[in-house]
């Protein structure tokens, strides 16, 4: 089993990143192979709405998106972790998701089976406030994206009260929950 973790926070070692690491740790205990990608370290430009489509779901822009696309294709489990920024996903996460417009078109308009297998998905999100509606906003985008990449939305973890970088360490139960999530997604 290959588990791909995607971190959408600009803060390396921040709350989304630590929660994702814990989920990957949990996945590893089952023998799964894990890899983590930090979107902020990739060069992925926003979708340019160029209306030029590759029929295989790929995009004409040559940047780090293609490598990520291949890794997702190769994965059995995807875990996305994003902070809540202004009531939704971080910009890094949304830019990555928008680039799947070509995939969306190939799948839903042309009916191409791009991914050849279903994978499982988990969504982690962290925020300073307790506002459930912010997580709902983020979740609705992620569910749409997961469907596009043939990923079943299997589990979610919404962690509140996290503001500063190391805040998550004040909540050991959050880390336990993330580990359990990772284990469960593989199992
Ligand atoms: C640009 C920006 C926008 C934010 N917007 C919200 C928000 O709408 N609601 C909220 O509860 N927290 C918001 N926060 C706080 C972050 O969600 C919080 O600090 C989170 O723990 C950051 O996660 P990270 O350490 O993984 O980056 C915002 C932070 C930033 C930098």
């Amino acid at each position: 089993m290959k588990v791909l973790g995607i971190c959408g926070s600009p803060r390396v070692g921040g709350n989304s990143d630590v929660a994702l690491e814990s989920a990957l740790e949990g996945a590893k205990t089952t023998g799964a192979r894990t890899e983590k990608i930090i979107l902020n370290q990739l060069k992925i430009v926003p979708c340019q709405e160029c209306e030029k489509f590759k029929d295989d779901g790929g995009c004409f822009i040559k940047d780090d998106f293609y490598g990520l696309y291949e890794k997702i294709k190769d994965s059995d489990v995807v875990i996305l972790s994003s902070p809540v920024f202004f009531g939704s996903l971080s910009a890094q996460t949304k830019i990555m998701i928008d680039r799947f417009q070509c995939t969306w078109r190939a799948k839903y308009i042309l009916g191409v089976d791009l991914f050849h297998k279903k994978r499982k998905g988990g969504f982690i999100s962290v925020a300073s406030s307790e506002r459930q509606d912010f997580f709902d906003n983020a979740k609705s985008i992620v569910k749409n994206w997961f469907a596009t990449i043939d990923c079943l939305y299997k589990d979610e973890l919404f962690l509140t009260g996290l503001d500063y970088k190391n805040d998550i360490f004040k909540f050991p139960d959050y880390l336990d929950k993330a580990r359990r999530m990772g284990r469960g997604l593989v199992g």
Side-chain angles (χ1 to χ4, degrees), residues 7-18 81-88 90 125-131 134-135 159-168:
C7 181
S9 168
R11 213 151 57 173
V12 173
N15 300 308
S16 317
D17 190 16
V18 171
S81 186
S82 170
V84 166
F85 280 0
F86 278 90
S88 186
S90 68
S125 190
V126 306
S128 54
S129 75
E130 307 284 326
R131 297 255 316 243
F134 289 167
F135 292 123
L159 306 174
T160 60
L162 303 176
D163 200 357
Y164 297 105
K165 190 170 177 181
N166 289 316
D167 277 357
I168 195 164

Side-chain angles (χ1 to χ4, degrees), residues 6-171:
I6 302 175
C7 181
S9 168
R11 213 151 57 173
V12 173
N15 300 308
S16 317
D17 190 16
V18 171
L20 179 60
E21 275 295 341
S22 300
L24 295 177
E25 239 175 73
K28 260 187 222 153
T29 62
T30 67
R33 274 195 285 152
T34 66
E35 180 176 357
K36 186 177 77 176
I37 287 176
I38 296 176
L39 292 176
N40 203 46
Q41 294 175 346
L42 301 184
K43 294 223 170 349
I44 300 182
V45 304
C47 173
Q48 298 298 302
E49 253 193 316
C50 60
E51 298 188 22
K52 286 185 240 138
F53 300 109
K54 284 188 185 170
D55 288 347
D56 67 355
C59 171
F60 279 99
I61 301 172
K62 288 189 173 49
D63 62 8
D64 291 339
F65 172 75
Y66 188 72
L68 173 67
Y69 182 77
E70 287 302 312
K71 282 182 199 289
I72 288 174
K73 268 188 162 172
D74 200 33
S75 68
D76 301 293
V77 175
V78 172
I79 306 176
L80 174 68
S81 186
S82 170
V84 166
F85 280 0
F86 278 90
S88 186
L89 297 167
S90 68
Q92 287 83 350
T93 309
K94 186 60 165 55
I95 284 172
M96 183 267 300
I97 289 176
D98 284 354
R99 287 289 297 280
F100 281 85
Q101 177 62 9
C102 296
T103 312
W104 184 92
R105 173 186 170 270
K107 181 180 166 78
Y108 293 109
I109 309 283
L110 305 180
V112 182
D113 178 15
L114 292 167
F115 290 94
H116 308 300
K117 65 176 180 187
K118 292 263 183 236
R119 55 194 51 72
K120 289 189 275 183
F123 176 44
I124 299 171
S125 190
V126 306
S128 54
S129 75
E130 307 284 326
R131 297 255 316 243
Q132 188 57 46
D133 55 330
F134 289 167
F135 292 123
D136 290 342
N137 291 339
K139 173 178 171 173
S140 100
I141 300 166
V142 172
K143 282 187 100 166
N144 197 340
W145 176 56
F146 274 5
T148 304
I149 59 166
D150 280 346
C151 190
L152 303 168
Y153 189 96
K154 278 284 185 190
D155 206 357
E156 62 190 20
L157 188 57
F158 299 145
L159 306 174
T160 60
L162 303 176
D163 200 357
Y164 297 105
K165 190 170 177 181
N166 289 316
D167 277 357
I168 195 164
F169 295 109
K170 295 182 199 156
F171 300 88

